[in-house]
Amino acid sequence: MSERADDLRVDPDHDPRGLTRGPAVTFTFEGESVDAFTGESIAAALLARGVRTLRTTRIAGAPRGLLCGIGACYDCLVTIEGPERARAVRACVTPVTDGLVVREHDLDHRLAPGDGIVT
Amino acid sequence: MSAPDTPTTTGAAGGPARTEVPLAVLGAGPAGVAATIAAARAGVEVLLLDAAERPGGQYHRREPRAFVARRPGALHHGFAPWQRTLAELDGLVARGRVRLAPGVSVWAATSVEGGSALATDDPALGTVVARALVIATGAHERVVPFPGWDLPGVITVGGAQALLKGHGVRPGHAVVVAGAGPLLLPVAAALAASGTHLVAVADAGDPRRWLAGGVRGVPLGKIIEGAGHLARIARHGSLVRPRTAAIAARGDGRVEGVVLARVDTDWRAIAGTERTVGADALVTSHGFAPTIDVAIALGCTLTGGVVPHVRVDDDQASDVAGVHAAGEVTGIAGADVGELEGTVAGLAAARHLGAPVAEADIARARARRRRRDRFVATLAGVLEVPAGALTWAAPSTIVCRCEEVTRATVEAAIDERGARDLRSVKLTTRCGMGRCQGRMCAPAVAAILEGATGHAPTDAGELSRRPILTPVPLGRLHP
């Protein structure tokens, strides 16, 4: 349910399916706490709260967000912190979990342009 | 739940798992499920692989299992028949004829002696070796590049549908829906019914083009369905503007405005008609591109020009022995036709495996599919993107999003460096070398090549040819 006027989740008054969302979870994006619901993708939960920029591109540093929504375009990459290492995932097909630590995808930027390594 | 007698062998010394099956179906959308049911009813054991959590593909995409919908059929088409289909599938699973493998991606595919080998990212399944295969991998969307299409806030029509139907989230507070294709009106209607403020709804095409194939080509049900969408959109305060396209998105780091323009029959913007509307989201796409990467990996021949699909015969058989294909991957035709093709493919695959399939049954299934030929031809005409759409992209407009390659770079490769096909454009510009593996840029690069050379590229599908189909951690390659 949307409790804020700017929440993009479908609200009960305009919800043809009459959804009850899954249990509430909290994750972080770029250090900020984000409330979400079990079953939502990272992209959906972020977009619901107005976060559209998920990464910046390797060469131009241009902001990118969700495009295809079905896992085909790989534009919606975000970085998830894991116990051993960070990894890149597609935000639109990755479900939120409680305590997930998410950042704008930056694994490309660990390689400087022109140093000869092709990712 | 796995069928108790489906053979699964783990390699020696705890090596990677290997699952041998008579028939594997790739994709649990309308076509894949129909193929699975047809083959299972003919007595064949089927493994149904799908990347999503629940069957349905895009057309029948459901809310997450963690959600509960009081009226789950709202926003859906053909919900009741699909529920009956799923019930039949569940029955076949319970009887051990079908094994479901949701949440699984195939990262490599190759023909082997007597079948196909599919490397999966499921440690329990490992490599699936199937004597017969039905590819039902569907399609993704085609977006004609335009200035600002790479801004956050630009979402495809199917992407907006996935957000809404899959997560109950709207794409923005002030949304422009603009583009072309059969998803445009249903998604605009669903967004409107879900409380989305639609600033404008624009169709680049002319609704009358549906009639080019004769009214008999289009099932009456589809015409009534279309009228229903228009009414629903109107009820929420919008009118659909025909022959109008979004030719640019503007904003500082995100969509803040959309430039709409009237277009001619060639989709060329008519000078002086450009108007900018404020918006925080642009929902746009211009048709579909079949998802052909597995088919290419297996060596299936493609057909079709700028946007190729897998070539199949009347039995939905590709030119690779034992490999059938059905649904959008064999040409964009919609869910109903996909189901008919899936049924043919399932029966044909079963017969290929030696199951007793009555010729009358497969002949009837073929005939039902052939009766839709005129509709499919009409749809193909409607989905064609005219050459004038290529004028929307400026020289600085990104064509390959993954590798950040501009139109100017692609054209320089053609004009100055002699690139004449997809492979040479790829090698000289990096188009198609990025993570999406050419899915998003292939139609645009092919269209630019067609404009320059006068014919569709001779190496259709080349941008999607990869030994590894999706990024996979090294640990999976060598556990």
Side-chain angles (χ1 to χ4, degrees), chain A residues 76-97:
Chain A
C76 65
L77 297 176
V78 291
T79 296
I80 286 182
E81 292 292 350
E84 288 166 354
R85 68 181 73 82
R87 61 192 180 102
V89 296
R90 291 165 287 174
C92 73
V93 293
T94 306
V96 298
T97 53

Side-chain angles (χ1 to χ4, degrees), chain A residues 16-17 20 57 59 72 74-75, chain B residues 68 164-165 401 404 439 470:
Chain A
R17 284 179 297 176
T20 301
T57 62
I59 298 170
Y74 285 79
D75 238 352
Chain B
V68 174
L164 184 67
K165 286 165 90 167
R401 297 171 66 105
E404 305 173 73
R439 283 187 207 105
T470 185

Side-chain angles (χ1 to χ4, degrees), chain A residues 52, chain B residues 152-153 172-177 197 199-200 250-251 254-259 276-283:
Chain A
R52 288 186 174 78
Chain B
H173 295 287
V175 178
V176 170
V177 179
H197 170 50
V199 171
R250 301 234 167 94
R254 49 177 286 173
V255 172
E256 291 171 331
V258 174
V259 180
T276 302
V277 297
D280 66 346
L282 169 57
V283 173

Side-chain angles (χ1 to χ4, degrees), chain B residues 329-359:
Chain B
V329 77
T330 65
I332 304 302
D336 295 342
V337 172
E339 280 187 30
L340 299 179
E341 292 174 348
T343 300
V344 174
L347 292 174
R351 191 174 54 181
H352 173 83
L353 291 167
V357 174
E359 177 58 30

Side-chain angles (χ1 to χ4, degrees), chain B residues 185-349:
Chain B
L185 291 194
V187 172
L191 287 171
S194 302
T196 309
H197 170 50
L198 298 179
V199 171
V201 182
D203 185 344
D206 185 339
R208 288 172 305 179
R209 69 199 185 285
W210 284 97
L211 303 178
V215 175
R216 265 176 307 175
V218 181
L220 185 60
K222 287 255 172 268
I223 298 178
I224 294 173
E225 202 182 289
H229 295 313
L230 286 171
R232 209 161 306 126
I233 295 166
R235 207 165 39 240
H236 287 90
S238 290
L239 290 174
V240 178
R241 313 178 193 194
R243 294 234 169 276
T244 304
I247 59 167
R250 301 234 167 94
D252 182 15
R254 49 177 286 173
V255 172
E256 291 171 331
V258 174
V259 180
L260 296 170
R262 295 268 300 167
V263 295
D264 62 20
T265 52
D266 207 36
W267 287 21
R268 201 174 290 264
I270 297 171
T273 67
E274 300 91 348
R275 289 179 44 241
T276 302
V277 297
D280 66 346
L282 169 57
V283 173
T284 185
S285 63
H286 309 93
F288 301 96
T291 306
I292 51 177
D293 46 1
V294 171
I296 291 176
L298 292 169
C300 299
T301 298
L302 304 176
T303 187
V306 162
V307 183
H309 57 265
V310 180
R311 190 174 72 191
V312 292
D313 64 13
D314 278 3
D315 279 351
Q316 304 294 138
S318 76
D319 56 351
V320 175
V323 176
H324 294 74
E328 307 290 74
V329 77
T330 65
I332 304 302
D336 295 342
V337 172
E339 280 187 30
L340 299 179
E341 292 174 348
T343 300
V344 174
L347 292 174

Side-chain angles (χ1 to χ4, degrees), chain B residues 86-107:
Chain B
L86 288 182
E88 180 167 11
L89 184 68
D90 286 343
L92 291 162
V93 172
R95 295 206 293 282
R97 298 275 194 85
V98 174
R99 175 180 177 181
L100 297 181
V104 175
S105 289
V106 169
W107 56 265

